[in-house]
Amino acid sequence: MPVRRLLRLVRRYWRVLVRGARRTAAPARRAWRRSLQARVITITLVASSLLVGGFGWFVADRSAKILLNRAQDEVEAQMRTKVDYAYHQLTVHRQVFDPKLPSTMRATVDHLADGNPAENGGAIVTLRAAEYPDLKPVSSTNFDTSQLITPELVKAVAGRGGEYQQIRTAEIAGVQTKFLVSGSPVPTSFGHVELYYLVPLTTEDRAANQIRTTVLVTGLTLVLLLGIVALLVTRLVVTPVRDAARTAQRLSAGLLDQRMKVSGEDELALLAASFNQMAANLQRQIVRLEEMSRLQRRFTSDVSHELRTPLTTVRMAADLIFTERDEFDPAVARSAELLQAELDRFESLLTDLLEISRFDAGFAALDAEHTDLVPIVQRVTERLTGLAERVGVTIELRLPDTPVIAEVDPRRVERILRNLVGNAAEHGEGKPVEVTLACDDAAVAVTVRDHGVGLKSGEERLVFNRFWRADPSRARQTGGTGLGLSISVEDARLHGGWLEAWGSPGAGAQFRLTLPVRSGDRLVAAPLPLIPRDRDPLLAGPTAAPEAGAEAPAPAPEDRAAAPAPALAARETAVPVAEAAGTPAPGASGTVAADPAEVIG
């Protein structure tokens, strides 16, 4: 248990340390991702530091080696002279036990010594006789040379013969001093003695340190200058690009008169001029399209209003003829019925056109009030019962037992549901239409499900466009004006809600209306899934009650599961169409919202 507890503590503190490091490094990561200038300068500084550092190390190392080689060459030359002098002084003694030999060795050492290293940094000369332990070593200083003349060096000089060198460090008068220790045998008449010449490398070390300092300062200065140059160069390039980005953002925000400053005749000036030309062309095109759209909206509104007067007159005459149709011939009576039906469609089309023109002009207003949606759904289904009976469709309601209160415009909600249920009945192919109502603390949703022909892949992008029909061959035999779903989209958007579609060929379609419980609230989830449970393997199961809730800003769990299974991926798509202003509508992954304001003839 103590080991496990210790491991848990280690893992916990490690996670805390990692999170703290990430939070500390977050500003640097953001600057790296968002600033091209910061990336260029950082890369330049890192690359130049590596190059300058490598070059400086090479120069300093080569300089130190050159100084050391020069010192070694000088010591070798001096060693030959000193060995020769020692040979002539010591060879006069035939026996090692000659009582004058120690004094001769002392005189030789004093003559060969360059000075006291403790006083003026001079070299040290030592004579030893490894073959004769009784013959005491003689040194030019009282300094203990045992830490400089190692047994390995003594063994090499006395045993193998020849001149050998090594570098050692010793403390003299409290200062760490580096020595070049050179040893060579001296042949005498009584045998071999060893001459050791210890030369301090203080001058060479000082010179090497000065070279390293100079290289370091020069390298840092060079890196700093390269950073400044990179800053200036990147500013010359990044500043126009940054200006172009700001100008593009202003253009996308609707400020069409924004332009870039053009200076010079280089590539950046050409970029700015081309950008300005593009912005001018876009401005002219947008202004032209806005004018055309304004004229189109005005034409639609004027025509709709102007047709009201003759339509009223024709309606009065048609009503009179329709009332007296029993007294006419059968053919004339049938014509009167057709005239009455087409006038109804014509009047409905004018009403829809007037409603669309109000949305386009921005005059549509929401008259929200606290309303129970259960009676609205029941009323819509009762009014469409006749249509459902004519096409052989039954409407099944799945309503909560308690009231569903939401702050909505009841007239617009009823119109949305009337369009959805009517379309489902007309395209239901004689199969039941299911209407489900559910709510949670933040949203209320209504789904309308049919089991008819469904929607082909890509049609869910067009189903909410004006005047679009899924089956052109039935375009003038069934259905309404082709504006019902477009108006429903605008009604849902006016509430700050969503209107979404899902469909699969042969499996029917499902439409979902989601509205906030409180007017003005932002939707983050829907209480009902968009894809029916019988068509989504991730949601299939015995659960009958609708699920609600999802973490913001992602859609509800059912919506996240709306991505079809592999077998249905090419055929089933959930497409969000209507959404709150400025708020992305939820839906299946990878779907595209259709523009309800686009008119398709």
Side-chain angles (χ1 to χ4, degrees):
M1 287 299 294
V3 176
R4 292 183 178 179
R5 187 178 296 110
L6 179 61
L7 292 177
R8 284 197 298 269
L9 289 176
V10 170
R11 286 196 294 268
R12 182 183 304 170
Y13 285 117
W14 174 255
R15 287 194 295 267
V16 171
L17 181 62
V18 170
R19 285 196 295 268
R22 288 178 178 176
R23 284 195 297 267
T24 304
R29 290 201 304 269
R30 284 196 297 270
W32 177 265
R33 291 195 306 266
R34 299 177 182 179
S35 176
L36 175 62
Q37 189 174 13
R39 290 199 298 272
V40 171
I41 294 175
T42 302
I43 293 174
T44 302
L45 290 177
V46 172
S48 60
S49 299
L50 293 176
L51 292 175
V52 172
F55 179 75
W57 175 85
F58 175 77
V59 170
D61 183 69
R62 290 298 302 169
S63 300
K65 288 182 178 180
I66 291 173
L67 292 173
L68 179 60
N69 291 335
R70 188 179 66 179
Q72 289 175 341
D73 294 339
E74 292 179 355
V75 169
E76 288 178 359
Q78 294 181 17
M79 276 295 292
R80 287 192 292 268
T81 303
K82 294 179 185 297
V83 169
D84 185 65
Y85 178 82
Y87 166 76
H88 287 91
Q89 293 296 321
L90 299 177
T91 193
V92 298
H93 300 279
R94 299 296 180 179
Q95 298 292 331
V96 71
F97 301 107
D98 190 342
K100 296 182 179 181
L101 179 59
S103 61
T104 302
M105 293 176 61
R106 167 58 60 185
T108 302
V109 167
D110 293 339
H111 177 79
L112 296 178
D114 296 331
N116 190 351
E119 297 176 356
N120 53 17
I124 301 175
V125 177
T126 301
L127 281 174
R128 291 180 176 229
E131 296 180 359
Y132 308 104
D134 295 336
L135 188 61
K136 296 181 179 180
V138 179
S139 179
S140 62
T141 179
N142 295 328
F143 175 72
D144 184 12
T145 61
S146 60
Q147 55 183 326
L148 295 176
I149 304 174
T150 61
E152 292 80 7
L153 180 61
V154 173
K155 182 178 180 180
V157 173
R160 294 191 292 268
E163 182 178 350
Y164 292 91
Q165 293 179 344
Q166 65 177 194
I167 298 176
R168 301 289 294 175
T169 302
E171 183 176 349
I172 299 179
V175 179
Q176 291 289 334
T177 305
K178 185 182 295 184
F179 283 85
L180 174 60
V181 182
S182 180
S184 177
V186 179
T188 63
S189 57
F190 59 85
H192 287 282
V193 296
E194 299 88 40
L195 175 65
Y196 294 98
Y197 187 40
L198 292 72
V199 180
L201 298 177
T202 306
T203 303
E204 287 76 7
D205 276 350
R206 187 180 299 112
N209 291 333
Q210 290 177 352
I211 293 174
R212 293 190 188 96
T213 303
T214 303
V215 170
L216 178 61
V217 173
T218 304
L220 292 177
T221 304
L222 182 58
V223 170
L224 181 60
L225 291 177
L226 288 175
I228 295 174
V229 171
L231 175 63
L232 296 177
V233 172
T234 53
R235 175 173 293 182
L236 291 176
V237 178
V238 172
T239 300
V241 176
R242 191 174 294 164
D243 292 341
R246 294 197 191 99
T247 305
Q249 290 175 350
R250 297 190 187 102
L251 288 174
S252 64
L255 303 176
L256 302 179
D257 58 341
Q258 296 295 311
R259 297 294 183 270
M260 290 182 62
K261 181 180 179 181
V262 181
S263 59
E265 299 179 358
D266 55 5
E267 290 81 359
L268 295 177
L270 179 60
L271 172 64
S274 301
F275 186 91
N276 291 340
Q277 183 64 32
M278 178 190 68
N281 294 336
L282 287 176
Q283 183 179 14
R284 286 194 296 269
Q285 189 73 5
I286 291 174
V287 170
R288 187 175 67 86
L289 292 176
E290 288 179 348
E291 182 65 19
M292 291 177 60
S293 178
R294 187 184 64 81
L295 293 176
Q296 181 186 22
R297 292 194 300 267
R298 182 175 179 181
F299 174 77
T300 302
S301 178
D302 292 345
V303 168
S304 301
H305 283 287
E306 291 299 330
L307 289 178
R308 277 293 185 183
T309 300
L311 177 62
T312 302
T313 304
V314 175
R315 164 65 72 182
M316 294 174 59
D319 289 342
L320 179 61
I321 295 174
F322 184 77
T323 303
E324 302 296 334
R325 68 184 183 281
D326 294 337
E327 300 178 2
F328 302 147
D329 295 337
V332 179
R334 177 58 180 165
S335 298
E337 293 174 355
L338 292 177
L339 176 62
Q340 185 73 10
E342 292 303 318
L343 281 175
D344 290 339
R345 291 187 61 185
F346 189 23
E347 188 173 10
S348 176
L349 175 60
L350 284 180
T351 302
D352 291 344
L353 286 175
L354 285 174
E355 188 68 23
I356 284 291
S357 64
R358 280 193 289 269
F359 280 119
D360 291 341
F363 294 151
L366 188 68
D367 187 13
E369 60 184 41
H370 289 86
T371 307
D372 186 2
L373 297 184
V374 174
I376 294 180
V377 176
Q378 294 173 341
R379 186 163 59 248
V380 168
T381 55
E382 290 174 359
R383 292 181 179 179
L384 293 175
T385 301
L387 172 63
E389 292 176 352
R390 287 197 302 270
V391 297
V393 170
T394 59
I395 302 177
E396 300 177 358
L397 296 182
R398 299 176 180 178
L399 306 177
D401 296 332
T402 58
V404 178
I405 307 298
E407 193 176 356
V408 297
D409 188 336
R411 178 181 66 86
R412 296 184 184 276
V413 173
E414 184 173 349
R415 180 165 60 191
I416 296 173
L417 296 178
R418 187 167 59 248
N419 287 327
L420 296 181
V421 177
N423 287 342
E426 290 182 355
H427 298 86
E429 299 294 326
K431 299 177 183 178
V433 173
E434 303 168 1
V435 180
T436 306
L437 172 64
C439 70
D440 57 20
D441 295 336
V444 58
V446 181
T447 59
V448 179
R449 169 83 158 101
D450 67 75
H451 301 80
V453 296
L455 296 173
K456 299 178 182 179
S457 178
E459 289 183 346
E460 65 280 347
R461 302 172 181 269
L462 306 173
V463 68
F464 292 96
N465 289 344
R466 301 177 185 180
F467 301 108
W468 184 86
R469 295 174 183 270
D471 188 356
S473 64
R474 310 191 314 169
R476 294 297 178 261
Q477 281 73 31
T478 61
T481 63
L483 294 174
L485 290 180
S486 299
I487 295 175
S488 299
V489 164
E490 300 295 344
D491 284 335
R493 180 180 287 113
L494 198 61
H495 282 84
W498 304 329
L499 184 55
E500 304 159 276
W502 167 91
S504 178
Q510 177 162 293
F511 290 79
R512 180 178 69 179
L513 171 65
T514 309
L515 302 174
V517 172
R518 290 168 293 276
S519 180
D521 287 357
R522 179 184 178 185
L523 291 177
V524 296
L528 292 174
L530 177 59
I531 298 181
R533 294 181 179 274
D534 59 341
R535 301 300 300 175
D536 190 349
L538 298 178
L539 296 177
T543 305
E547 300 179 9
E551 295 182 2
E558 296 83 1
D559 293 343
R560 291 197 294 269
L568 305 174
R571 304 175 60 188
E572 299 186 0
T573 310
V575 176
V577 177
E579 58 189 35
T583 305
S589 175
T591 60
V592 178
D595 184 4
E598 182 181 359
V599 178
I600 299 180

